[in-house]
Amino acid sequence: MLFSEFSRYCEEIEGISGRLDMIDVVSRALPALSPEELPVFVRFIMGRIFPDWSPQKLGIGPNLLYEAIGYVAGVKKEAVIDRINRSGDVGRVVEEFLTKKSQVSFSHQDLELVDVYNKLIAISARGGATSQKEKLRTVKLLLGDATPLEGRYLSRIMLEELRIGVGEGTVREAIAKAFSVDPTLVEHAMQAINDLGEVAQRAKTGEDALKDVRITPFHPLRMMLAQQGAIADMLQEHGEVAAEYKYDGSRFQFHKAGGKKRMYSRRLEDVTAALPDVIALLDGATTHDVILDGEVIAIKDGRPMPFQSVLRRFRRRHDIAEAKEAIRMVPNVFDILYLDGENLIDIPFSERRKRLEFVVQEFVAPQVVSGDQAIIEKTYNDALAAGHEGIMIKVRDSPYTPGQRGKNWIKIKPEVDTLDLAVVGAEWGEGKRAHVFGSFLVACQDQGKLVPLSRVATGFSDGQLAEVYELLKDTVISRSGKEVQFEPELVFEVGYAELQVSPTYAAGFALRFPRFIRLRDDKDTTEIETLDSIKERYSRQSKSAQAYTG
Ligand code: AMP
């Protein structure tokens, strides 16, 4: 496939908003693709380059891209930046520059989809001192050969943000439709191999190939997630449940096979280099080839430390030796997904637990199995008394469902704090929520100005999302890709577990576990939380954390 054809598909999709129409367009494109083109098309159309399991990064920053655009367009980088700042869309700016340029020269080579992919892969593989120069050269060559429309999508792919609204759910359904296979098989294959590109190749071969998926060590799976719920409901529904402490640290996935060991974070980044001590502990705890799921916590004087100190350690690349002494990192393993070549995600949790206890000698998180509410409540109180966050209640006959926030894992923890915040933006939802807004940008106020503080995407019922959509749909003041901005009118009460210092939002803080509690239609945006009061809450919170860890 030529990259120009891919670009035309993108353009067609960018012009439609209905999910079914999008599925239709994508599914039309897939059957004719060669085995080599298929995975590339599937990832590119979602604005991705690498398989989801891959921690690889392209490493083309905006700066390098702007320089290449300037070169190709024959203008200064500053002019490119200025134009992008005003437009907010790199793709359109590149298109505009290339349109002007092509009025002067017409010479360019046809770009092939796979060739573009190979060149991008080569860029990401490059390291060392000369790499920036070589990257720049390749980007200039690619953009130099692009037509204006190709430039729009090529530049967006280079920033891994295609902005045409095609999410994973859309592509999964398109694959099922294109190759007439069962969508649940597509979803299951995706859970095990974590790369829709390969899933598409298998779907093209047939349902047997989709069923025959294997988990591969060092291809991390997405983490299974939890919902909020109540002890009594879980007991009523399942009779007997498993309860574990809910450790407040960082999620990890530990892979060990053929003598090699690696560790991945919740976002599937490779954090092996940052946690040599934890890896040594886990390595020593089993002689088997395994993939283990768990949470690493920081312990000081026998008590868990606040979450931020663990995070700091995950990010740290230097001074590892020094950090090791200050805080002790302890892994708590609560699941096993792979054992000596065998995929375990589809067997019941109770069976996985048996294997876990059998093959891992240390660091297995204790578990209480009971149908008695008093016993589960005692476990909850013990967890809080020991300084943990609460408990997790798990359904014993449930499979491990990567990436899903289902009802098989329920978290129980004390009530969260709340803030009243103005809704200033949103992103369209996915899947069955594609026709409403799914995640909201919320802001506090500072000297009369609204300052973004967090995104809120959980805690809504379908009814609430529909209600919020009705209230917001006529207040949209601008849109770009899946994002919209609102005239600020609406106030949400947002629950959170902890305030963190963070550069992500303009407020300089971020909320941990932000959660929609309710609409505050009794309040207007002048009555929302101020940045000063958030600062005060933050300092109170860190004081109490210090007191509690000694
Ligand atoms: P939440 O992030 O609030 O959805 O809660 C789920 C998170 O709790 C998981 O992603 C883990 O990082 C963490 N966690 C702590 N202890 C456990 C446990 N025993 N089982 C599962 N997850 C746990």
Side-chain angles (χ1 to χ4, degrees):
M1 175 181 264
L2 290 176
F3 194 75
S4 56
E5 200 181 337
F6 170 77
S7 304
R8 282 197 299 277
Y9 275 115
C10 292
E11 190 184 25
E12 184 178 350
I13 294 170
E14 201 170 356
I16 50 188
S17 55
R19 212 170 92 84
L20 289 179
D21 294 335
M22 282 188 194
I23 293 171
D24 201 50
V25 177
V26 179
S27 72
R28 260 196 284 124
L30 299 183
L33 295 167
S34 73
E36 211 187 350
E37 290 165 343
L38 187 55
V40 176
F41 182 97
V42 162
R43 292 186 208 125
F44 273 13
I45 204 78
M46 297 184 289
R48 297 180 199 165
I49 298 166
F50 303 103
D52 280 7
W53 54 259
S54 170
Q56 223 170 333
K57 297 263 179 300
L58 185 60
I60 298 180
N63 238 330
L64 192 141
L65 182 62
Y66 300 164
E67 193 170 336
I69 297 169
Y71 174 84
V72 172
V75 297
K76 286 221 165 67
K77 185 167 121 189
E78 289 64 35
V80 176
I81 295 175
D82 181 54
R83 195 62 206 93
I84 288 170
N85 281 344
R86 275 186 287 134
S87 140
D89 179 355
V90 177
R92 297 277 180 181
V93 172
V94 170
E95 184 174 16
E96 190 184 299
F97 277 132
L98 291 183
T99 307
K100 282 191 203 137
K101 186 194 107 181
S102 62
Q103 287 159 0
V104 190
S105 83
F106 291 97
S107 72
H108 58 73
Q109 289 209 328
D110 279 348
L111 289 168
E112 290 269 353
L113 183 73
V114 171
D115 197 37
V116 170
Y117 171 74
N118 287 337
K119 291 217 167 82
L120 293 179
I121 293 289
I123 286 180
S124 84
R126 241 163 242 158
T130 55
S131 73
Q132 285 303 98
K133 245 196 206 155
E134 285 180 41
K135 277 182 188 173
L136 184 62
R137 207 174 71 86
T138 312
V139 176
K140 281 179 190 167
L141 282 174
L142 279 170
L143 285 176
D145 279 337
T147 62
L149 187 67
E150 288 174 325
R152 189 201 295 176
Y153 297 110
L154 186 57
S155 54
R156 289 185 189 164
I157 285 177
M158 286 177 181
L159 296 177
E160 294 187 70
E161 206 186 335
L162 197 59
R163 294 182 175 207
I164 60 171
V166 174
E168 188 187 307
T170 303
V171 178
R172 279 203 317 256
E173 284 180 49
I175 291 173
K177 188 169 172 191
F179 303 115
S180 306
V181 291
D182 181 350
T184 56
L185 284 180
V186 174
E187 188 176 354
H188 178 261
M190 176 58 190
Q191 289 183 351
I193 52 188
N194 206 6
D195 171 24
L196 264 191
E198 187 185 332
V199 170
Q201 282 173 317
R202 285 172 178 270
K204 189 174 169 124
T205 311
E207 290 200 340
D208 285 346
L210 274 180
K211 283 182 199 150
D212 185 34
V213 285
R214 271 166 228 277
I215 288 176
T216 312
F218 313 112
H219 287 191
L221 292 86
R222 292 184 191 163
M223 312 268 173
M224 179 162 171
L225 301 169
Q227 272 186 14
Q228 259 162 359
I231 297 174
D233 295 346
M234 287 298 275
L235 288 174
Q236 198 180 357
E237 196 171 331
H238 303 283
E240 203 175 58
V241 294
E244 298 162 4
Y245 286 174
K246 185 173 191 307
Y247 303 96
D248 184 12
S250 269
R251 188 80 175 266
F252 70 79
Q253 202 177 85
F254 173 73
H255 291 222
K256 171 174 173 173
K260 211 173 117 188
K261 290 136 298 203
R262 302 216 79 82
M263 185 169 264
Y264 304 94
S265 71
R266 179 183 173 128
R267 294 170 53 205
L268 310 190
E269 296 148 326
D270 190 330
V271 291
T272 310
L275 295 162
D277 44 344
V278 180
I279 291 179
L281 293 176
L282 289 169
D283 184 32
T286 183
T287 55
H288 294 262
D289 285 357
V290 287
I291 298 180
L292 303 176
D293 185 6
E295 183 99 353
V296 53
I297 55 172
I299 302 277
K300 196 176 169 192
D301 303 330
R303 304 262 313 167
M305 297 268 294
F307 176 75
Q308 284 233 315
S309 54
V310 184
L311 261 197
R312 239 175 269 139
R313 186 60 199 288
F314 257 65
R315 287 197 211 105
R316 192 188 289 260
R317 293 287 180 270
H318 317 288
D319 303 333
I320 302 282
E322 190 191 314
K324 256 195 302 197
E325 280 164 31
I327 318 167
R328 203 159 58 87
M329 306 293 275
V330 180
N332 293 280
V333 181
F334 45 73
D335 219 320
I336 181 165
L337 317 183
Y338 170 94
L339 174 61
D340 297 328
E342 196 189 348
N343 169 7
L344 302 183
I345 65 172
D346 299 318
I347 65 174
F349 179 45
S350 53
E351 287 297 318
R352 298 201 301 279
R353 177 78 195 184
K354 268 190 218 150
R355 312 229 179 155
L356 177 62
E357 289 176 2
F358 194 65
V359 301
V360 178
Q361 264 60 51
E362 263 183 292
F363 308 114
V364 175
Q367 190 183 73
V368 173
V369 174
S370 174
D372 181 342
Q373 180 148 352
I375 290 178
I376 304 291
E377 275 168 4
K378 180 176 181 310
T379 312
Y380 174 71
N381 290 330
D382 290 348
L384 294 183
H388 300 295
E389 224 190 326
I391 53 171
M392 298 287 296
I393 296 189
K394 300 182 178 178
V395 177
R396 299 189 71 225
D397 60 7
S398 65
Y400 188 94
T401 45
Q404 287 193 4
R405 193 180 286 285
K407 288 206 165 73
N408 289 325
W409 284 15
I410 293 294
K411 52 190 169 191
I412 314 283
K413 52 186 189 182
E415 275 305 304
V416 292
D417 281 338
T418 68
L419 296 169
D420 292 330
L421 300 166
V423 185
V424 293
E427 204 175 325
W428 286 97
E430 287 220 311
K432 67 178 165 60
R433 292 179 164 177
H435 58 289
V436 292
F437 302 123
S439 115
F440 299 85
L441 185 65
V442 288
C444 59
Q445 58 176 331
D446 186 29
Q447 334 262 325
K449 277 205 297 233
L450 290 173
V451 192
L453 173 69
S454 180
R455 267 189 188 280
V456 190
T458 55
F460 300 91
S461 66
D462 286 349
Q464 282 167 331
L465 278 183
E467 182 189 2
V468 168
Y469 175 73
E470 281 308 313
L471 290 169
L472 286 170
K473 71 179 196 311
D474 295 323
T475 66
V476 173
I477 45 175
S478 72
R479 56 185 82 213
S480 62
K482 286 188 77 180
E483 288 276 347
V484 295
Q485 281 79 45
F486 303 117
E487 189 76 60
E489 285 173 9
L490 209 59
V491 177
F492 282 176
E493 184 179 341
V494 177
Y496 68 95
E498 195 182 357
L499 275 166
Q500 295 176 322
V501 172
S502 157
T504 311
Y505 299 104
F509 291 95
L511 303 182
R512 183 159 183 248
F513 302 137
R515 192 181 144 72
F516 175 80
I517 305 288
R518 63 196 160 116
L519 262 177
R520 290 302 304 255
D521 31 11
D522 54 329
K523 281 199 168 184
D524 72 37
T525 54
T526 60
E527 298 169 83
I528 59 173
E529 199 76 28
T530 63
L531 187 55
D532 282 342
S533 74
I534 287 172
K535 285 181 187 154
E536 206 182 291
R537 277 181 191 237
Y538 178 75
S539 72
R540 252 186 286 135
Q541 170 191 298
S542 20
K543 272 190 207 123
S544 66
Q546 270 165 17
Y548 140 85
T549 51

